[in-house]
């Protein structure tokens, strides 16, 4: 958003009004999302694991990296043995 093209008080005030109108719309949209902070209902110990997916992402990256070297598995059992080892 370009707030003002000049250095006048009027253009600054106009920029302020544009930003405020934008923020009002954003706040209205956020208030419509009733389940936005649902994870806050959980205890703090569980809450930490809910919004911290770093371990999951790390594990998925590891799986992708290790299975990429071996392009095909003859059976599902061979894939299971590979992933467990």
């Amino acid at each position: 958003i370009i707030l003002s093209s000049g250095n006048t008080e009027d253009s600054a005030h106009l920029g302020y009004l544009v930003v405020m109108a934008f923020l009002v719309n954003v706040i209205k949209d956020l208030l419509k999302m009733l389940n936005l902070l649902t994870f806050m209902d959980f205890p703090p110990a569980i809450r930490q694991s809910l919004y911290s997916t770093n371990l999951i992402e790390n594990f998925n990256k590891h799986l992708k990296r290790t299975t990429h070297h071996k392009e095909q598995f003859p059976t599902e059992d061979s894939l299971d043995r590979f992933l467990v080892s």
Side-chain angles (χ1 to χ4, degrees):
I1 298 173
I2 298 173
L3 294 181
S4 66
S5 58
N7 291 331
T8 65
E9 187 176 335
D10 290 337
S11 62
H13 183 68
L14 180 63
Y16 170 78
L17 293 176
V18 168
V19 169
M20 290 307 293
F22 174 75
L23 290 177
V24 165
N25 289 332
V26 168
I27 291 171
K28 284 180 184 177
D29 288 342
L30 286 174
L31 290 174
K32 290 177 189 173
M33 298 179 198
L34 299 177
N35 60 354
L36 185 64
L37 298 175
T38 304
F39 70 92
M40 293 299 284
D41 294 339
F42 291 95
I46 295 174
R47 196 180 318 144
Q48 183 178 6
S49 67
L50 289 177
Y51 60 78
S52 172
T53 60
N54 204 12
L55 289 174
I56 297 168
E57 290 173 9
N58 233 353
F59 180 68
N60 287 337
K61 188 181 215 180
H62 172 72
L63 283 179
K64 186 176 181 181
R65 192 172 40 238
T66 54
T67 57
H68 182 68
H69 296 297
K70 187 167 176 81
E71 292 184 11
Q72 85 183 59
F73 297 94
T75 65
E76 231 176 279
D77 290 335
S78 64
L79 174 62
D80 289 341
R81 282 194 305 269
F82 178 78
L83 293 175
V84 172
S85 64

